[in-house]
């Protein structure tokens, strides 16, 4: 089990195989193409519930066509298994809503 306080290396993060997530400046970012505000709000609420359960919180941008999510472990200033685990959960919520992540 990976130490949740241990910063992960770029190759460890790549090995996690997080489809739709990009590694940039010690953060994991994804943009979910919700296409309308109500779907975005639903996704944000689901993310919020999982963040509270995990006691690990992303930065979230809610706009009409999409939801942006940025993850990092503030306490260690980088990406840990907490971020990878929550990213997987967030991708699952998007899948449940039939929402794709932008691939650019
Ligand atoms: C006190 C509380 O447990 C900490 O502040 C938690 C809350 N949520 C968090 N979220 C994130 N992304 N990083 C943290 O280090 C973090 N720490």
């Amino acid at each position: 089990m990976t130490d949740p306080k241990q910063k992960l290396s770029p190759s460890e993060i790549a090995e996690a195989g997080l489809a739709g997530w990009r590694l940039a400046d010690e953060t994991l970012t994804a943009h979910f193409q919700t296409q309308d505000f109500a779907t975005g709000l639903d996704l944000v609420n689901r993310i919020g519930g999982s963040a509270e359960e995990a006691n690990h919180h992303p930065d979230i941008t809610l706009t009409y066509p999409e939801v942006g999510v940025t993850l990092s472990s503030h306490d260690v200033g980088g990406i840990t298994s907490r971020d990878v685990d929550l990213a997987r959960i967030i991708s699952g919520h998007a899948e449940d809503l039939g929402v794709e992540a932008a691939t650019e």
Side-chain angles (χ1 to χ4, degrees), residues 1-25:
M1 174 65 187
T2 316
D3 174 1
K5 288 282 189 187
Q6 180 69 39
K7 273 177 82 170
L8 298 176
S9 67
S11 57
E12 286 173 310
I13 295 161
E15 279 158 26
L18 295 169
W21 292 83
R22 283 175 48 243
L23 174 61
D25 307 326

mmCIF file of all heavy atoms in Angstrom, residues 1-25:
data_model
loop_
_atom_site.group_PDB
_atom_site.id
_atom_site.type_symbol
_atom_site.label_atom_id
_atom_site.label_comp_id
_atom_site.label_asym_id
_atom_site.label_seq_id
_atom_site.Cartn_x
_atom_site.Cartn_y
_atom_site.Cartn_z
ATOM 1 N N MET A 1 0.881 -1.184 0.000
ATOM 2 C CA MET A 1 0.000 0.000 0.000
ATOM 3 C C MET A 1 0.917 1.232 0.000
ATOM 4 O O MET A 1 1.848 1.325 0.777
ATOM 5 C CB MET A 1 -0.891 -0.022 1.261
ATOM 6 C CG MET A 1 -1.758 1.218 1.466
ATOM 7 S SD MET A 1 -2.985 1.372 0.169
ATOM 8 C CE MET A 1 -3.652 2.981 0.556
ATOM 9 N N THR A 2 0.646 2.162 -0.930
ATOM 10 C CA THR A 2 1.480 3.371 -1.044
ATOM 11 C C THR A 2 1.200 4.291 0.134
ATOM 12 O O THR A 2 0.050 4.512 0.507
ATOM 13 C CB THR A 2 1.086 4.107 -2.353
ATOM 14 O OG1 THR A 2 0.965 3.132 -3.381
ATOM 15 C CG2 THR A 2 2.119 5.136 -2.722
ATOM 16 N N ASP A 3 2.267 4.849 0.680
ATOM 17 C CA ASP A 3 2.145 5.794 1.797
ATOM 18 C C ASP A 3 1.405 7.052 1.318
ATOM 19 O O ASP A 3 1.884 7.747 0.416
ATOM 20 C CB ASP A 3 3.558 6.153 2.278
ATOM 21 C CG ASP A 3 3.531 7.246 3.336
ATOM 22 O OD1 ASP A 3 2.426 7.709 3.696
ATOM 23 O OD2 ASP A 3 4.618 7.637 3.773
ATOM 24 N N PRO A 4 0.252 7.372 1.934
ATOM 25 C CA PRO A 4 -0.529 8.530 1.462
ATOM 26 C C PRO A 4 0.161 9.864 1.700
ATOM 27 O O PRO A 4 -0.260 10.894 1.191
ATOM 28 C CB PRO A 4 -1.831 8.421 2.253
ATOM 29 C CG PRO A 4 -1.542 7.555 3.409
ATOM 30 C CD PRO A 4 -0.418 6.636 2.992
ATOM 31 N N LYS A 5 1.269 9.830 2.438
ATOM 32 C CA LYS A 5 2.006 11.080 2.667
ATOM 33 C C LYS A 5 3.209 11.197 1.734
ATOM 34 O O LYS A 5 3.941 12.176 1.763
ATOM 35 C CB LYS A 5 2.496 11.127 4.130
ATOM 36 C CG LYS A 5 1.371 11.353 5.128
ATOM 37 C CD LYS A 5 0.968 12.807 5.169
ATOM 38 C CE LYS A 5 0.002 13.073 6.323
ATOM 39 N NZ LYS A 5 -0.528 14.450 6.285
ATOM 40 N N GLN A 6 3.414 10.153 0.923
ATOM 41 C CA GLN A 6 4.598 10.098 0.064
ATOM 42 C C GLN A 6 4.291 10.706 -1.306
ATOM 43 O O GLN A 6 3.320 10.306 -1.957
ATOM 44 C CB GLN A 6 5.016 8.620 -0.092
ATOM 45 C CG GLN A 6 6.226 8.405 -0.970
ATOM 46 C CD GLN A 6 7.501 8.945 -0.310
ATOM 47 O OE1 GLN A 6 7.674 8.807 0.894
ATOM 48 N NE2 GLN A 6 8.345 9.582 -1.099
ATOM 49 N N LYS A 7 5.075 11.696 -1.739
ATOM 50 C CA LYS A 7 4.885 12.260 -3.080
ATOM 51 C C LYS A 7 5.170 11.172 -4.116
ATOM 52 O O LYS A 7 6.137 10.424 -3.977
ATOM 53 C CB LYS A 7 5.847 13.424 -3.311
ATOM 54 C CG LYS A 7 5.324 14.757 -2.829
ATOM 55 C CD LYS A 7 6.331 15.860 -3.018
ATOM 56 C CE LYS A 7 6.326 16.407 -4.428
ATOM 57 N NZ LYS A 7 7.161 17.650 -4.532
ATOM 58 N N LEU A 8 4.336 11.114 -5.162
ATOM 59 C CA LEU A 8 4.535 10.129 -6.225
ATOM 60 C C LEU A 8 5.369 10.746 -7.349
ATOM 61 O O LEU A 8 5.289 11.944 -7.613
ATOM 62 C CB LEU A 8 3.170 9.681 -6.778
ATOM 63 C CG LEU A 8 2.224 8.982 -5.795
ATOM 64 C CD1 LEU A 8 0.885 8.691 -6.472
ATOM 65 C CD2 LEU A 8 2.849 7.712 -5.251
ATOM 66 N N SER A 9 6.144 9.905 -8.020
ATOM 67 C CA SER A 9 6.954 10.390 -9.154
ATOM 68 C C SER A 9 6.084 10.432 -10.406
ATOM 69 O O SER A 9 5.041 9.772 -10.463
ATOM 70 C CB SER A 9 8.105 9.415 -9.400
ATOM 71 O OG SER A 9 7.571 8.174 -9.856
ATOM 72 N N PRO A 10 6.480 11.220 -11.418
ATOM 73 C CA PRO A 10 5.700 11.256 -12.671
ATOM 74 C C PRO A 10 5.460 9.868 -13.259
ATOM 75 O O PRO A 10 4.368 9.582 -13.733
ATOM 76 C CB PRO A 10 6.569 12.109 -13.597
ATOM 77 C CG PRO A 10 7.303 13.024 -12.659
ATOM 78 C CD PRO A 10 7.600 12.174 -11.428
ATOM 79 N N SER A 11 6.453 8.962 -13.143
ATOM 80 C CA SER A 11 6.231 7.621 -13.725
ATOM 81 C C SER A 11 5.214 6.835 -12.889
ATOM 82 O O SER A 11 4.381 6.115 -13.436
ATOM 83 C CB SER A 11 7.544 6.859 -13.833
ATOM 84 O OG SER A 11 8.146 6.767 -12.562
ATOM 85 N N GLU A 12 5.252 7.000 -11.570
ATOM 86 C CA GLU A 12 4.250 6.321 -10.727
ATOM 87 C C GLU A 12 2.854 6.824 -11.064
ATOM 88 O O GLU A 12 1.892 6.067 -11.114
ATOM 89 C CB GLU A 12 4.568 6.563 -9.252
ATOM 90 C CG GLU A 12 5.747 5.785 -8.714
ATOM 91 C CD GLU A 12 6.126 6.193 -7.295
ATOM 92 O OE1 GLU A 12 6.268 7.416 -7.047
ATOM 93 O OE2 GLU A 12 6.244 5.299 -6.445
ATOM 94 N N ILE A 13 2.753 8.130 -11.306
ATOM 95 C CA ILE A 13 1.453 8.718 -11.643
ATOM 96 C C ILE A 13 0.992 8.200 -13.012
ATOM 97 O O ILE A 13 -0.154 7.793 -13.188
ATOM 98 C CB ILE A 13 1.538 10.254 -11.625
ATOM 99 C CG1 ILE A 13 1.832 10.744 -10.206
ATOM 100 C CG2 ILE A 13 0.250 10.885 -12.162
ATOM 101 C CD1 ILE A 13 2.378 12.153 -10.142
ATOM 102 N N ALA A 14 1.926 8.143 -13.953
ATOM 103 C CA ALA A 14 1.588 7.631 -15.297
ATOM 104 C C ALA A 14 1.116 6.181 -15.204
ATOM 105 O O ALA A 14 0.166 5.765 -15.871
ATOM 106 C CB ALA A 14 2.790 7.750 -16.220
ATOM 107 N N GLU A 15 1.774 5.399 -14.330
ATOM 108 C CA GLU A 15 1.410 3.980 -14.174
ATOM 109 C C GLU A 15 -0.013 3.818 -13.631
ATOM 110 O O GLU A 15 -0.648 2.779 -13.816
ATOM 111 C CB GLU A 15 2.396 3.278 -13.220
ATOM 112 C CG GLU A 15 3.697 2.847 -13.860
ATOM 113 C CD GLU A 15 4.808 2.659 -12.824
ATOM 114 O OE1 GLU A 15 4.478 2.386 -11.636
ATOM 115 O OE2 GLU A 15 5.979 2.818 -13.201
ATOM 116 N N ALA A 16 -0.514 4.863 -12.969
ATOM 117 C CA ALA A 16 -1.880 4.779 -12.397
ATOM 118 C C ALA A 16 -2.922 4.708 -13.509
ATOM 119 O O ALA A 16 -4.065 4.304 -13.276
ATOM 120 C CB ALA A 16 -2.134 5.973 -11.499
ATOM 121 N N GLY A 17 -2.538 5.152 -14.715
ATOM 122 C CA GLY A 17 -3.430 5.040 -15.883
ATOM 123 C C GLY A 17 -4.732 5.805 -15.740
ATOM 124 O O GLY A 17 -5.815 5.280 -16.011
ATOM 125 N N LEU A 18 -4.631 7.057 -15.316
ATOM 126 C CA LEU A 18 -5.837 7.869 -15.086
ATOM 127 C C LEU A 18 -6.278 8.517 -16.397
ATOM 128 O O LEU A 18 -5.784 9.580 -16.778
ATOM 129 C CB LEU A 18 -5.550 8.947 -14.032
ATOM 130 C CG LEU A 18 -5.229 8.433 -12.626
ATOM 131 C CD1 LEU A 18 -4.716 9.579 -11.761
ATOM 132 C CD2 LEU A 18 -6.457 7.798 -11.992
ATOM 133 N N ALA A 19 -7.210 7.858 -17.097
ATOM 134 C CA ALA A 19 -7.655 8.390 -18.394
ATOM 135 C C ALA A 19 -8.333 9.739 -18.196
ATOM 136 O O ALA A 19 -9.151 9.912 -17.285
ATOM 137 C CB ALA A 19 -8.643 7.401 -19.020
ATOM 138 N N GLY A 20 -7.951 10.721 -19.041
ATOM 139 C CA GLY A 20 -8.611 12.029 -19.006
ATOM 140 C C GLY A 20 -7.979 13.017 -18.045
ATOM 141 O O GLY A 20 -8.335 14.196 -18.026
ATOM 142 N N TRP A 21 -6.982 12.570 -17.263
ATOM 143 C CA TRP A 21 -6.304 13.445 -16.304
ATOM 144 C C TRP A 21 -4.934 13.830 -16.845
ATOM 145 O O TRP A 21 -4.246 13.009 -17.438
ATOM 146 C CB TRP A 21 -6.159 12.753 -14.947
ATOM 147 C CG TRP A 21 -7.479 12.533 -14.251
ATOM 148 C CD1 TRP A 21 -8.348 11.505 -14.471
ATOM 149 C CD2 TRP A 21 -8.081 13.381 -13.265
ATOM 150 N NE1 TRP A 21 -9.456 11.654 -13.658
ATOM 151 C CE2 TRP A 21 -9.327 12.785 -12.921
ATOM 152 C CE3 TRP A 21 -7.701 14.569 -12.637
ATOM 153 C CZ2 TRP A 21 -10.178 13.349 -11.962
ATOM 154 C CZ3 TRP A 21 -8.534 15.129 -11.679
ATOM 155 C CH2 TRP A 21 -9.769 14.526 -11.353
ATOM 156 N N ARG A 22 -4.569 15.081 -16.598
ATOM 157 C CA ARG A 22 -3.260 15.575 -17.037
ATOM 158 C C ARG A 22 -2.411 15.943 -15.832
ATOM 159 O O ARG A 22 -2.932 16.498 -14.855
ATOM 160 C CB ARG A 22 -3.460 16.811 -17.919
ATOM 161 C CG ARG A 22 -3.905 16.450 -19.314
ATOM 162 C CD ARG A 22 -4.229 17.678 -20.178
ATOM 163 N NE ARG A 22 -3.207 18.698 -20.130
ATOM 164 C CZ ARG A 22 -3.413 19.917 -19.645
ATOM 165 N NH1 ARG A 22 -4.583 20.234 -19.121
ATOM 166 N NH2 ARG A 22 -2.465 20.816 -19.622
ATOM 167 N N LEU A 23 -1.127 15.653 -15.916
ATOM 168 C CA LEU A 23 -0.172 16.028 -14.870
ATOM 169 C C LEU A 23 0.439 17.376 -15.259
ATOM 170 O O LEU A 23 0.991 17.501 -16.362
ATOM 171 C CB LEU A 23 0.912 14.957 -14.789
ATOM 172 C CG LEU A 23 2.100 15.214 -13.854
ATOM 173 C CD1 LEU A 23 1.639 15.373 -12.411
ATOM 174 C CD2 LEU A 23 3.096 14.058 -13.986
ATOM 175 N N ALA A 24 0.268 18.383 -14.380
ATOM 176 C CA ALA A 24 0.829 19.711 -14.691
ATOM 177 C C ALA A 24 1.198 20.387 -13.386
ATOM 178 O O ALA A 24 0.347 20.516 -12.501
ATOM 179 C CB ALA A 24 -0.204 20.550 -15.449
ATOM 180 N N ASP A 25 2.467 20.800 -13.288
ATOM 181 C CA ASP A 25 2.915 21.555 -12.098
ATOM 182 C C ASP A 25 2.478 20.908 -10.788
ATOM 183 O O ASP A 25 1.755 21.517 -9.989
ATOM 184 C CB ASP A 25 2.359 22.994 -12.133
ATOM 185 C CG ASP A 25 2.672 23.692 -13.437
ATOM 186 O OD1 ASP A 25 3.756 23.402 -13.980
ATOM 187 O OD2 ASP A 25 1.826 24.461 -13.915
#
